[in-house]
Amino acid sequence: MSEAQQRSVRPTPEDTLDQEAALADSLGGERAQPRRRRERLTMETLVAGLNPQQREAVLHEGPPVLVVAGAGSGKTRVLTRRIAYLVAQRNVHPGSILAITFTNKAAAEMRGRVQELVGNRAKLMWVSTFHSACVRILRAEIHRFNLTRTFSIYDDADSKRLMQLVAHDLSLDPKRYPVRAILNWVSTCKNELVDHESARSRVNTELEENYLAAYQEYQRRLTAANALDFDDLIMTTVHLMQAFPELREQYRRRFRHVLVDEYQDTNHAQYALIRELCSAEVDGGQVGDEVTVDPPELMVVGDSDQSIYAFRGATIRNINDFESDFPGAAVIMLEQNYRSTQTILSAANAVIVKNEGRKPKRLWSDSGDGEAIVGYVADTEHDEASFVAREIDALRDAGRARYADCAVFYRTNAQSRPFEEVFIRLGLPYKVVGGVRFYERREVRDAIAYLRAIANRADDVSVRRILNVPKRGIGDRAEEAVEALAARERISFGEALRRIDDVTGLAPRSAKQLIGFADFLDEHEAMVAEGVPADQILTSVLQKSGYLAELQSSTDPQDQTRLENLVELVAVAREFVAGAIGGGAGADALDSLLADDGVLVGAGLDPQLRAEALEQATEDGELDLGAGAPEPDASLGAFLERVALVADSDQIPPPPGVEDEGVVTLMTLHTAKGLEFDTVFLTGLEDGVFPHQRALTSMSELEEERRLAYVGVTRARKRLYVSRAVVRAAWGAPQHNPASRFLAEIPDRLLDWRRTEQATTSWRSTSATRQVQERWKERVGFGARPKVRTVPNVAAGDRVLHTTFGMGTVIATTGSGDDTKADVDFGSAGVKRLSLRHAPLEKL
Ligand SMILES: Nc1ncnc2c1ncn2[C@@H]1O[C@H](COP(=O)(O)OP(=O)(O)OP(=O)(O)O)[C@@H](O)[C@H]1O
Ligand SMILES: [Mg+2]
């Protein structure tokens, strides 16, 4: 029975709540609403619409429980419902619930659903990603490891920059020691909880000896900069709990229920954290440490067929060994899929059974066969994009889909480009999730570096990034002189800036500029100390640093875009501050808010919980604080934390309202995990693209790619399209790719081929490149045919194909007739100036 059918038989809790809300509204009593909810949230409503296994999972009490099941079987729904049930029926305090989800998007969804079910009490829960939860713990506890709570969080780009400095200073040959490789080694160590001291045990070769040296120096500089990288967030939290057993006890007392979604993608460090919090026996503590607190109830849900983060250390072992890790654990299997049609499911199953050594799973759907899967073979990636765009338009015209119901998936971020080009041309609204993300743009990173330098002067990477941005005449020599003082005195670079008089060998002009820069930092640091909100600090920084002025006076059109991005960043900060401060009346308001909810009244409330309730309520704009109440967190530090933890999938557009039909979502398969869409386009199904080139020679990587395919297929609810391009411009040169082996694994009976490779015969016999080459020969007079000297007629913005450089976009043309030259941007192959008469190039 589909969800729609079920709804007509018996109202789901959501329906009941809608009716309740309407009723409460009509009574005009906002306050009456939460109480009514509480009364009406009976057992039946809480488990309504669940099948027996799901119900068992929701009601389970006591020992740890693992819910394993295929995609779309309601695992996330079980978690969400269980939380509601715990609070409503088992009187569990929301503040004692920790729910871990992989993306911030999923976290928001979970909180939202629980809020629908139990009202304001949901605000007291911790619902977050592993990283966010650890940051929260670390902010409170990290002083025990001699860092301060204002520590910076280094993202991938920062880590890379820092490692570059380290590798350079250690004179490591970049060919033998690419920064990526060193960082991977370090990351693997951290994911396995091996810190820079114990890593020596892993060193056997000279190569590893140097990795270790880099790890140690990198970590020394991170600590000196009062910073942690992403992997540190988890490792450090685990190490804190192991080093301070009383701390572990404190958090065990606090979290009585721990729930983890997407457990198949946890790595060892994350697993260890769960163990610290939930295991009946803990390791890592000192002799004589006893666990005095009963372990909390633990529920994890996952699907080993969807494990797609092995490259970040995720291990299926955590699911497979759950029962031995947590003796006495219960395992519940779900078998009914509520998301997809049987056709889509059959395709997914047919692909995933090709992986070896997996436990067979039964997954069925009763929502009927539905539509056949549509297959399409395009000539080029541009044709593939056009096909997708046409199809979305046709579905929409027929009233069968809104833009927001459609998603286009691809293997790597770079593949979004042709889709964007076609969508822009056709005016089809879309949003790319991931790719060059907003926070990775140069100007945004510069602005954030300014803020970080102000929040944490010891953050060398940030301070040095903006030292001469915009240009203020501080050259490399001056920077080195300051660095020398910092090294000599064992202080941070930022600290050394305060002692310019002690820096030797500085030209007076440089000294003056450095002092000006240090004053600028001091001035803004004082603003932070005074509690000036983050948005005002950002605005002041952009103005007083001269950054805005430089962009404003530039004639480069790109600088215009940069300016717009900074305006956007200020808007983000403003929104953040507004959300943090909200409107209302003081600490009493919190009590009445909580009292209204029927929980947490009076003096019995744990002060830490109370502080958190306050934080949550103000964050949600429900409370404003009068004098005497703790400050809401609109601070620079809080803003930077928010910025550091945004996930790719946070950019997924919100579901459309009644008027608004939203936009098409473009994203990589990795980002799509956990989501669902009515219509899914799975594109680029070519060997070498998906599965990725790298996976073609490794069995285990190929299996991981296959799980990725399984994730992709199972995102679709009603309609699935699978497509590929015969010729694709990868890394510049067009390549002729064979069909993905995953395509062949989908049984033909499920497929409706709209266009097959036969239809592309002209491309089959000779590749696109070869055709261009032939025509070029004709044009420039090679070969047997008579000379035809035509110059391709291109203009800025046109797409072209070059036999060597591949696909490109014309930036500008100069000259005329036979002398016309064009500047063409070939992406990774760079920008080339070409004579149009001679270049083997063709307009697309
Ligand atoms: N018992 C049920 N009755 C009706 N619909 C259900 C039921 N259980 C789950 N669903 C719906 O099925 C869809 C898939 O559920 P959910 O996202 O919880 O699955 P999942 O197992 O977490 O999937 P994934 O493995 O992709 O994360 C959702 O739209 C959910 O609302
Ligand atoms: Mg899920």
Side-chain angles (χ1 to χ4, degrees):
M1 197 164 32
S2 73
E3 175 146 61
Q5 285 168 317
Q6 284 203 347
R7 273 172 182 267
S8 65
V9 178
R10 187 160 50 164
T12 65
E14 286 86 351
D15 289 338
T16 320
L17 282 172
D18 286 346
Q19 289 157 10
E20 261 177 53
L23 190 63
D25 281 347
S26 68
L27 294 173
E30 258 185 80
R31 296 197 156 202
Q33 198 185 332
R35 282 212 191 91
R36 294 187 62 84
R37 265 196 187 132
R38 196 168 154 77
E39 284 155 26
R40 296 282 297 273
L41 278 177
T42 57
M43 232 349 233
E44 281 85 290
T45 45
L46 282 165
V47 296
L50 297 181
N51 66 35
Q53 295 78 23
Q54 290 178 324
R55 186 183 286 240
E56 185 191 341
V58 168
L59 303 187
H60 178 88
E61 279 185 43
V65 55
L66 162 71
V67 179
V68 267
S73 55
K75 296 182 295 296
T76 304
R77 177 184 259 221
V78 161
L79 274 197
T80 310
R81 230 27 118 66
R82 177 172 169 87
I83 294 172
Y85 173 80
L86 290 174
V87 176
Q89 287 289 317
R90 287 177 59 194
N91 291 323
V92 169
H93 190 294
S96 63
I97 296 176
L98 169 64
I100 299 287
T101 62
F102 239 70
T103 64
N104 291 340
K105 160 87 164 44
E109 228 171 66
M110 191 166 286
R111 195 187 283 286
R113 280 200 215 170
V114 173
Q115 204 147 4
E116 264 175 36
L117 291 165
V118 299
N120 286 326
R121 280 174 287 163
K123 296 186 195 314
L124 298 172
M125 292 188 302
W126 281 33
V127 183
S128 67
T129 59
F130 269 107
H131 288 102
S132 304
C134 287
V135 170
R136 239 169 133 172
I137 295 175
L138 291 173
R139 292 270 181 232
E141 317 292 349
I142 198 156
H143 57 273
R144 296 165 192 257
F145 276 172
N146 296 326
L147 290 181
T148 67
R149 69 183 305 273
T150 56
F151 64 83
S152 294
I153 302 166
Y154 276 19
D155 65 13
D156 288 347
D158 300 320
S159 305
K160 200 168 156 207
R161 173 96 189 90
L162 182 62
M163 193 56 96
Q164 257 160 5
L165 292 174
V166 168
H168 175 263
D169 292 352
L170 295 179
S171 310
L172 295 179
D173 171 10
K175 288 217 185 62
R176 194 138 181 251
Y177 297 93
V179 166
R180 267 284 136 228
I182 312 177
L183 277 174
N184 278 345
W185 194 81
V186 170
S187 176
T188 306
C189 286
K190 290 183 177 180
N191 288 335
E192 290 168 18
L193 297 174
V194 177
D195 63 20
H196 66 285
E197 283 157 9
S198 40
R200 172 150 300 281
S201 63
R202 315 195 133 199
V203 171
N204 296 312
T205 61
E206 187 205 331
L207 191 87
E208 288 164 344
E209 194 67 59
N210 282 318
Y211 282 161
L212 176 68
Y215 184 5
Q216 289 176 338
E217 180 57 15
Y218 170 83
Q219 208 60 30
R220 194 192 65 72
R221 294 202 196 180
L222 269 181
T223 309
N226 194 27
L228 297 178
D229 70 15
F230 256 56
D231 298 321
D232 282 333
L233 296 177
I234 318 275
M235 178 175 79
T236 312
T237 309
V238 174
H239 283 162
L240 266 172
M241 302 237 170
Q242 290 174 346
F244 302 96
E246 75 282 5
L247 194 68
R248 173 179 55 214
E249 300 289 284
Q250 180 191 320
Y251 280 94
R252 285 168 81 107
R253 225 171 283 129
R254 150 130 220 199
F255 296 124
R256 303 308 301 146
H257 287 271
V258 177
L259 305 99
V260 186
D261 201 359
E262 311 276 5
Y263 192 65
Q264 76 280 355
D265 279 325
T266 47
N267 60 31
H268 178 74
Q270 291 163 336
Y271 156 79
L273 180 65
I274 297 298
R275 254 183 95 84
E276 288 300 321
L277 289 174
C278 304
S279 173
E281 69 222 57
V282 284
D283 25 47
Q286 280 133 34
V287 183
D289 292 341
E290 271 171 28
V291 182
T292 55
V293 185
D294 282 345
E297 287 191 23
L298 169 67
M299 170 175 282
V300 307
V301 310
D303 175 7
S304 38
D305 288 335
Q306 293 184 67
S307 173
I308 53 176
Y309 280 100
F311 67 95
R312 288 203 199 143
T315 159
I316 307 182
R317 176 224 160 266
N318 292 347
I319 282 211
N320 291 345
D321 292 0
F322 188 81
E323 289 172 88
S324 53
D325 289 338
F326 298 93
V331 178
I332 297 173
M333 318 245 213
L334 308 177
E335 294 184 337
Q336 181 167 1
N337 170 298
Y338 293 92
R339 179 181 293 146
S340 312
T341 64
Q342 186 58 50
T343 301
I344 291 168
L345 267 191
S346 302
N349 287 336
V351 172
I352 199 68
V353 290
K354 295 287 190 304
N355 271 4
E356 279 170 18
R358 59 183 281 280
K359 291 185 189 147
K361 242 185 306 197
R362 255 171 56 87
L363 198 58
W364 55 278
S365 159
D366 71 357
S367 53
D369 284 345
E371 298 175 29
I373 296 167
V374 176
Y376 192 88
V377 184
D379 293 339
T380 64
E381 75 266 40
H382 298 279
D383 297 327
E384 185 186 34
S386 300
F387 165 71
V388 169
R390 279 198 312 272
E391 206 55 36
I392 292 175
D393 260 344
L395 287 171
R396 194 171 156 263
D397 288 347
R400 298 169 72 207
R402 296 168 308 171
Y403 290 134
D405 301 327
C406 304
V408 180
F409 300 157
Y410 35 79
R411 176 65 182 81
T412 56
N413 280 312
Q415 287 167 251
S416 72
R417 225 166 108 182
F419 291 102
E420 290 190 70
E421 281 163 7
V422 171
F423 287 14
I424 289 172
R425 207 168 61 226
L426 300 180
L428 206 125
Y430 71 92
K431 167 137 187 157
V432 182
V433 176
V436 181
R437 294 160 45 189
F438 180 68
Y439 289 102
E440 276 159 22
R441 290 172 209 274
R442 193 182 84 199
E443 61 283 4
V444 175
R445 294 194 70 85
D446 286 342
I448 302 282
Y450 266 105
L451 296 181
R452 282 177 166 184
I454 289 160
N456 174 16
R457 177 69 68 94
D459 183 342
D460 277 3
V461 167
S462 297
V463 172
R464 291 172 73 169
R465 177 181 177 105
I466 48 153
L467 188 65
N468 200 30
V469 180
K471 292 214 168 21
R472 43 176 79 93
I474 303 178
D476 290 349
R477 292 256 303 279
E479 186 178 343
E480 276 163 23
V482 177
E483 171 63 11
L485 175 73
R488 199 167 61 239
E489 300 284 318
R490 296 184 175 274
I491 53 176
S492 69
F493 190 90
E495 203 50 52
L497 283 175
R498 291 207 165 100
R499 296 169 45 182
I500 294 302
D501 288 348
D502 299 342
V503 177
T504 45
L506 268 186
R509 200 182 112 73
S510 301
K512 187 162 161 261
Q513 293 297 338
L514 285 166
I515 290 170
F517 179 67
D519 287 348
F520 165 90
L521 292 182
D522 283 342
E523 181 191 339
H524 287 90
E525 235 174 77
M527 289 171 73
V528 175
E530 284 162 22
V532 176
D535 60 332
Q536 290 177 29
I537 294 180
L538 175 60
T539 315
S540 168
V541 160
L542 292 174
Q543 280 167 350
K544 294 193 179 151
S545 64
Y547 204 104
L548 277 190
E550 191 184 66
L551 292 180
Q552 275 160 344
S553 62
S554 161
T555 50
D556 180 348
Q558 266 203 327
D559 283 340
Q560 198 49 42
T561 318
R562 297 207 167 98
L563 211 51
E564 283 161 17
N565 286 334
L566 289 176
V567 170
E568 169 82 17
L569 184 66
V570 172
V572 170
R574 197 157 287 158
E575 212 171 280
F576 171 79
V577 168
I581 295 177
D588 287 349
L590 175 72
D591 282 340
S592 70
L593 190 77
L594 296 173
D596 273 349
D597 243 359
V599 262
L600 303 176
V601 202
L605 183 58
D606 168 11
Q608 194 186 345
L609 285 180
R610 196 167 184 292
E612 264 164 31
L614 195 63
E615 183 189 314
Q616 278 298 338
T618 44
E619 217 172 76
D620 288 78
E622 294 200 43
L623 272 185
D624 185 26
L625 303 161
E631 283 294 311
D633 208 355
S635 70
L636 186 60
F639 176 63
L640 284 172
E641 187 170 301
R642 169 78 62 92
V643 167
L645 296 172
V646 271
D648 275 355
S649 52
D650 288 347
Q651 305 166 34
I652 294 164
V658 183
E659 294 298 310
D660 170 21
E661 61 163 310
V663 303
V664 177
T665 309
L666 307 185
M667 63 180 140
T668 64
L669 286 150
H670 279 98
T671 311
K673 193 174 72 159
L675 303 175
E676 57 187 23
F677 295 88
D678 278 357
T679 303
V680 164
F681 292 87
L682 203 53
T683 69
L685 279 160
E686 297 136 37
D687 263 17
V689 174
F690 183 36
H692 198 277
Q693 186 70 37
R694 216 187 27 236
L696 297 179
T697 49
S698 151
M699 189 60 177
S700 65
E701 293 201 27
L702 187 65
E703 296 212 331
E704 172 129 332
E705 295 282 308
R706 196 175 275 113
R707 291 192 290 271
L708 199 53
Y710 175 77
V711 168
V713 169
T714 53
R715 299 308 95 197
R717 301 181 62 186
K718 298 182 183 155
R719 253 167 250 115
L720 176 67
Y721 291 80
V722 287
S723 58
R724 71 179 176 101
V726 176
V727 174
R728 179 177 298 273
W731 319 118
Q735 274 178 9
H736 195 274
N737 294 324
S740 167
R741 62 198 67 196
F742 304 147
L743 256 187
E745 288 166 6
I746 300 178
D748 230 20
R749 65 183 164 82
L750 304 174
L751 273 162
D752 166 17
W753 283 103
R754 290 278 179 81
R755 191 163 186 266
T756 60
E757 190 155 359
Q758 268 82 49
T760 64
T761 19
S762 60
W763 298 88
R764 207 166 41 140
S765 54
T766 159
S767 77
T769 347
R770 197 119 40 91
Q771 288 198 11
V772 175
Q773 240 156 14
E774 296 298 324
R775 282 186 289 233
W776 170 70
K777 281 184 192 158
E778 285 171 24
R779 221 171 63 218
V780 298
F782 288 165
R785 306 201 186 193
K787 279 188 187 177
V788 202
R789 279 185 189 268
T790 50
V791 175
N793 183 17
V794 299
D798 284 346
R799 297 281 294 161
V800 292
L801 179 63
H802 187 280
T803 56
T804 312
F805 305 130
M807 302 278 183
T809 307
V810 178
I811 305 171
T813 56
T814 50
S816 59
D818 275 3
D819 293 330
T820 315
K821 295 198 172 57
D823 293 335
V824 184
D825 179 356
F826 289 102
S828 53
V831 175
K832 312 277 176 203
R833 172 161 293 193
L834 304 166
S835 155
L836 288 181
R837 189 156 63 111
H838 301 296
L841 155 155
E842 188 167 294
K843 183 174 162 182
L844 291 174

